[in-house]
Amino acid sequence: MHLISMLNDTPPEHTHFRDGIIRVLKPILDIPLYESNRPRFTVVVNNTYGTLVDAMAIRLSDVEAKILADYGAFSVNSIASPAAAVPVTMAGFPGIQRVAIPEVCRNADIVSVSGENFSLSEPSAKGFSGGPVYAGQQLLGVNTGDTGNDKAMTSALAARLDVLKPIFFA
């Protein structure tokens, strides 16, 4: 099982994450990004810009997967291609702090699909980054947000998992 997460910035290479962890707040779980000096994750380089695409896949141990099971999961086989005008749901934790808060879901429509991303009709917010964007049982992408003022809503942008799937799950 893998955890797909959004990156807060797009460094040019993966060693930037050498001492990094993913911290899950409830239940408390720290997932180290490296194990025995080897990365536990896969990242994708944007060949046009030479930076990383705003998503990473982290291979979970059986114990980590069991602890995170209550959050739900999508099968790799549920990954589908996004298309304009398709209604979707995005899930996240807006207003996220260092304490656990309830998940929130928002409905939107896909506005456009381009390259490794697609945009949504409804704005995102801090705390939706890394959350799934799905249509029914089909997983379409990972919400990445957009540039803008941290205090304001931002345009919703998502990384396409159909494009990233061959790299993440090879």
Side-chain angles (χ1 to χ4, degrees):
M1 178 180 269
H2 286 80
L3 171 71
I4 303 294
S5 181
M6 194 281 300
L7 305 175
N8 284 332
D9 56 24
T10 52
E13 39 83 27
H14 75 308
T15 58
H16 178 78
F17 305 106
R18 172 104 24 220
D19 295 319
I21 62 166
I22 299 290
R23 170 154 288 168
V24 179
L25 296 175
K26 187 175 182 181
I28 297 290
L29 174 66
D30 287 344
I31 302 171
L33 297 180
Y34 275 78
E35 190 170 79
S36 302
N37 277 338
R38 295 180 60 199
R40 297 177 59 192
F41 59 88
T42 304
V43 292
V44 179
V45 175
N46 179 322
N47 291 324
T48 303
Y49 302 108
T51 57
L52 301 181
V53 173
D54 283 334
M56 67 177 10
I58 304 161
R59 183 174 295 280
L60 298 175
S61 70
D62 291 341
V63 171
E64 291 164 338
K66 185 174 181 176
I67 291 170
L68 297 176
D70 287 345
Y71 286 101
F74 287 91
S75 164
V76 171
N77 294 332
S78 73
I79 295 173
S81 299
V86 169
V88 297
T89 301
M90 58 178 146
F93 301 89
I96 194 165
Q97 308 265 327
R98 293 189 179 269
V99 296
I101 60 174
E103 180 181 57
V104 172
C105 292
R106 282 201 181 136
N107 295 318
D109 293 318
I110 296 176
V111 173
S112 64
V113 179
S114 177
E116 297 152 335
N117 298 300
F118 59 96
S119 60
L120 303 172
S121 62
E122 293 297 320
S124 183
K126 186 175 181 178
F128 273 89
S129 296
V133 179
Y134 55 95
Q137 298 300 310
Q138 295 184 314
L139 181 60
L140 305 178
V142 175
N143 202 336
T144 62
D146 196 324
T147 58
N149 182 335
D150 275 350
K151 295 179 182 180
M153 300 294 264
T154 60
S155 298
L157 189 65
R160 292 177 58 182
L161 285 177
D162 64 326
V163 171
L164 302 177
K165 179 181 176 180
I167 299 165
F168 281 161
F169 307 110

